[in-house]
Amino acid sequence: MAFHRRKSTIWLTAAAAAMALVAGGAAVVAISSSDGAALADGADKNSFVDITKVKPNVKKPKAQQGATTGTFTVDCGRNENAHFNPDNFIAQPGVRNGAQHLHDYVGNLSTNADSNNKSLQKAGTTCKNGDKSAYFWPVVRIDTEDEAEPAKQPPKKDDKAQQDKDKADKAAARLECPDVASKLPEDVPDKAQAEIDKELANIEKVTDEAEKRLETVKAQDVDNIIVGPTREKRAAILDRMMLAFSRQGKQAPDLNPLAACKVKAANEKQAKLDDGAENNDDAQAEGTENKKNQANKEENNKLELEGNDGEIQRPEVAELQFRGSPVGKVVAMPKFLRILYGDAKVTANGKKNAKDSWTCTGFEDKVQINKYPICPQGSKVKRIHDFPSCWDGKNIDSAKHREHIVFPDANGKCQKGFKAVPQLRISLTYNIPRDIQQKGQYKVDSFPEEAHNPFSDHDDFANVMSQQIMNRLVNCVNTGKKCKE
């Protein structure tokens, strides 16, 4: 099912049209948004290239002894439920239309600007195995300008109820417990795997039950009713996990420090702001918040800026695959780990974090490029997003969202102090007619200043897998299995 957005009719004087012409290329018509930012009406045709004329440039690190060759593929669909919004809770938390372009979502059903760990954990998912992780990327559109009769706008989802729930979660006290799966050694004995997997499910259950009960307990009773009993239950489970290692003649890791959880107090100031409560000390902040809420409401009504128009193309295939390391075993990702791929603002930020993402089916091992490909007959447009996979072992996020997890070096090795975690590869295949490719009439949504630059392609991921699923993932990767869930 395709979605459409009505294009704005653009009138140019003869002089303006002449200035828009590019020697030897195509015209890129710019319009202005309400804030004066330039908007590209289509991708520059110089950004398209015949894939068969591009030299191979993909270099894979040579697999060393002990390389992990397993894969774990998660089936989360192709966004059949039409979960779109122009938000990014990782890079622009709390800002409606913070991305200024539309994202495709699979996995977590609640993802929006106000998402947080608690709301993500409570939500449903499109993933068949129950993975609640959030996977999202900018949509691709076909833009044939005014060749065809414009269609109706895509239906807007009223997600106010979800926003209200997310804000309530932000304002409420929450239970924070140490991640267990990411603290397990990379070489769990085969005969202990089933027991470890079972106990990880138990610890997840105990923690979830305590989190739910926290909502009904008075602040003065939290230590006695929530913190103490939860620590005792987690400690018993961790003891059984350590015994599982010992029974196999393996040095048991010290998991005892992971038993204790803490309660993070409610954000009273934020609760007042969200409830519209007036307070002399917070008057200025509240005014700013109200203005932001009004701006968010107006922007959300538009869904996206004018330049991001055309017919949305749902991926024909959306493959989410976790892979190993060419130099050794991987450890589990911690729950709620945030990871970015690429740079949505490459024009402003430079090429440091931008990635070559585009190719065609049948050319994956030969070419990935930073231009839109024109594929030969029988081949399809494809985006390949390989995420960073060297984690600092401590943090689930960082100031610029990149310092806590980085890419390995050219040989596949992590820098000192970082650990290899399973590398996420998101592969998106599109059935775009060849004549559309040849005319340069498809494009990726972008910030206005990027003018649909293919080099601004990017992707986002937040890990909300249960520790049981993550343990299965790591086991598949480290033992060379090809698992699909």
Side-chain angles (χ1 to χ4, degrees):
M1 180 177 177
F3 293 87
H4 301 72
R5 178 174 173 82
R6 185 180 181 87
K7 286 181 63 67
S8 299
T9 302
I10 303 167
W11 297 95
L12 297 175
T13 65
M19 290 177 66
L21 291 175
V22 180
V28 178
V29 183
I31 60 178
S32 293
S33 67
S34 57
D35 63 359
L39 298 174
D41 194 43
D44 186 340
K45 291 191 177 69
N46 289 320
S47 295
F48 290 77
V49 65
D50 183 342
I51 197 78
T52 64
K53 296 180 180 179
V54 179
K55 294 181 179 179
N57 65 357
V58 175
K59 296 180 180 179
K60 294 182 179 180
K62 184 178 179 181
Q64 300 182 21
Q65 186 174 5
T68 44
T69 58
T71 59
F72 186 89
T73 304
V74 185
D75 183 356
C76 299
R78 304 179 297 113
N79 195 16
E80 290 91 341
N81 61 317
H83 183 178
F84 300 112
N85 65 49
D87 302 343
N88 189 323
F89 75 93
I90 299 177
Q92 295 284 334
V95 180
R96 307 301 296 173
N97 198 22
Q100 298 183 348
H101 54 264
L102 213 59
H103 284 130
D104 248 327
Y105 289 89
V106 298
N108 200 282
L109 287 169
S110 70
T111 317
N112 62 39
D114 295 312
S115 292
N116 56 77
N117 294 351
K118 189 173 182 180
S119 69
L120 292 169
Q121 179 62 47
K122 290 166 68 174
T125 179
T126 66
C127 301
K128 290 183 178 179
N129 70 342
D131 173 13
K132 295 185 178 183
S133 298
Y135 305 83
F136 55 106
W137 52 82
V139 301
V140 166
R141 303 178 191 249
I142 287 178
D143 181 4
T144 56
E145 300 184 2
D146 294 322
E147 288 181 4
E149 191 69 24
K152 295 179 181 179
Q153 282 186 270
K156 298 182 181 69
K157 283 193 172 183
D158 181 8
D159 62 350
K160 186 179 185 304
Q162 184 62 51
Q163 293 174 42
D164 291 343
K165 286 180 183 177
D166 294 348
K167 286 180 180 178
D169 286 335
K170 281 185 179 179
R174 63 181 183 271
L175 189 67
E176 292 188 348
C177 299
D179 190 84
V180 177
S182 62
K183 299 297 188 292
L184 295 176
E186 58 190 32
D187 53 347
V188 176
D190 291 342
K191 292 183 179 180
Q193 276 290 349
E195 189 170 355
I196 294 295
D197 194 47
K198 182 179 100 174
E199 298 301 353
L200 283 172
N202 285 335
I203 211 160
E204 192 95 19
K205 181 180 178 182
V206 164
T207 307
D208 286 349
E209 287 175 349
E211 177 78 52
K212 290 175 183 177
R213 197 174 182 192
L214 179 62
E215 298 175 0
T216 64
V217 173
K218 294 179 180 179
Q220 63 265 32
D221 297 326
V222 162
D223 283 344
N224 290 332
I225 296 178
I226 302 295
V227 177
T230 301
R231 181 180 60 246
E232 292 176 6
K233 291 176 183 178
R234 284 172 61 95
I237 295 169
L238 294 169
D239 281 343
R240 294 198 295 269
M241 292 176 71
M242 289 186 283
L243 279 173
F245 280 90
S246 299
R247 280 197 290 269
Q248 302 305 323
K250 178 79 176 176
Q251 175 71 38
D254 182 12
L255 302 179
N256 290 306
L258 306 180
C261 301
K262 61 182 179 180
V263 172
K264 190 167 183 179
N267 186 339
E268 295 179 5
K269 181 177 179 180
Q270 184 62 46
K272 287 179 181 178
L273 292 175
D274 289 341
D275 291 339
E278 293 186 4
N279 183 293
N280 290 334
D281 294 335
D282 293 336
Q284 185 175 355
E286 185 183 344
T288 302
E289 184 75 10
N290 288 339
K291 288 180 182 178
K292 187 177 80 170
N293 288 341
Q294 182 60 32
N296 285 341
K297 186 181 295 183
E298 291 173 0
E299 291 292 355
N300 198 47
N301 286 339
K302 293 192 293 185
L303 270 187
E304 69 268 28
L305 295 182
E306 273 185 276
N308 291 315
D309 49 15
E311 183 179 328
I312 294 174
Q313 303 299 295
R314 178 176 289 127
E316 186 176 74
V317 178
E319 183 180 70
L320 315 175
Q321 186 178 86
F322 294 84
R323 308 183 302 159
S325 164
V327 299
K329 293 187 175 182
V330 299
V331 299
M333 293 178 177
K335 199 166 188 178
F336 304 121
L337 177 70
R338 271 83 160 151
I339 318 181
L340 303 184
Y341 164 85
D343 193 337
K345 295 186 176 182
V346 62
T347 299
N349 298 337
K351 299 179 180 180
K352 180 181 178 182
N353 296 311
K355 298 295 176 185
D356 298 343
S357 303
W358 301 88
T359 188
C360 298
T361 58
F363 291 80
E364 295 91 342
D365 293 335
K366 297 180 180 179
V367 181
Q368 288 178 39
I369 56 176
N370 55 30
K371 291 191 175 185
Y372 295 115
I374 299 172
C375 305
Q377 199 69 40
S379 179
K380 296 182 179 181
V381 173
K382 190 170 185 177
R383 300 157 77 185
I384 298 178
H385 301 155
D386 287 339
F387 284 68
S389 57
C390 294
W391 172 51
D392 68 5
K394 300 176 184 176
N395 301 296
I396 60 170
D397 204 352
S398 48
K400 295 181 180 178
H401 316 293
R402 299 183 189 275
E403 301 89 344
H404 65 297
I405 187 158
V406 299
F407 284 93
D409 64 21
N411 296 316
K413 187 176 181 180
C414 292
Q415 65 190 55
K416 187 176 180 181
F418 284 69
K419 304 176 179 181
V421 295
Q423 183 188 46
L424 171 59
R425 165 175 280 190
I426 295 183
S427 301
L428 307 168
T429 303
Y430 296 86
N431 190 17
I432 297 175
R434 193 159 188 268
D435 67 313
I436 295 294
Q437 299 176 40
Q438 292 171 323
K439 292 177 184 177
Q441 292 180 328
Y442 75 93
K443 61 188 181 182
V444 69
D445 265 23
S446 71
F447 281 98
E449 61 272 20
E450 292 303 327
H452 309 290
N453 181 356
F455 205 20
S456 71
D457 196 15
H458 57 281
D459 213 325
D460 301 77
F461 167 71
N463 173 40
V464 198
M465 292 185 195
S466 70
Q467 303 207 19
Q468 186 180 27
I469 294 174
M470 180 56 68
N471 185 54
R472 290 203 303 270
L473 189 165
V474 170
N475 182 46
C476 280
V477 168
N478 282 343
T479 57
K481 299 173 185 174
K482 309 296 181 186
C483 303
K484 292 186 178 182
E485 296 195 355

